[in-house]
Amino acid sequence: MSIRMMNPVAKPHREALRRPVRIEELHGRRLGFLFNGHVSAVKFWKQIEDLFSELYHPRSVTSLRKENTFAPAAAEGEIAELKTRTDLVVIGVGA
């Protein structure tokens, strides 16, 4: 599994077009969520987590969320830990 993040403040450059990776089966997989904790989307994000759990019955769920939207992004160690504990990570709302 790989996590690709783009820095919105870096010098712009063109990303090579890559076809999305199709995930054949989600049932029983280790699922992760990465969310920046923005107050306008907390309830929505919780519903997304609950929906994925209900639909796909993951073996485990790991959530990484900033408690303060204005805090720096997750440390590289936290991202690396998330990568080792999950098969798929859903990233959203400014994460």
Side-chain angles (χ1 to χ4, degrees):
M1 185 187 91
S2 65
I3 297 175
R4 182 176 70 161
M5 295 182 161
M6 296 184 184
N7 184 346
V9 296
K11 292 182 180 178
H13 66 281
R14 290 193 151 262
E15 282 282 323
L17 182 61
R18 298 189 317 185
R19 298 180 75 67
V21 176
R22 181 168 178 78
I23 299 166
E24 297 297 330
E25 182 60 57
L26 293 178
H27 285 79
R29 304 293 292 268
R30 299 175 305 158
L31 185 57
F33 291 94
L34 179 60
F35 170 53
N36 80 343
H38 195 279
V39 68
S40 66
V42 169
K43 288 181 182 179
F44 168 77
W45 197 252
K46 176 66 174 135
Q47 288 181 332
I48 292 289
E49 289 181 354
D50 291 346
L51 179 64
F52 270 66
S53 292
E54 180 182 319
L55 291 175
Y56 302 114
H57 306 284
R59 182 173 44 177
S60 66
V61 175
T62 304
S63 293
L64 180 55
R65 181 179 109 178
K66 294 192 313 184
E67 295 304 318
N68 176 352
T69 306
F70 301 103
E76 286 185 36
E78 289 178 296
I79 299 295
E81 176 69 19
L82 185 63
K83 183 178 176 180
T84 64
R85 297 179 64 191
T86 58
D87 299 314
L88 168 76
V89 177
V90 178
I91 301 173
V93 194

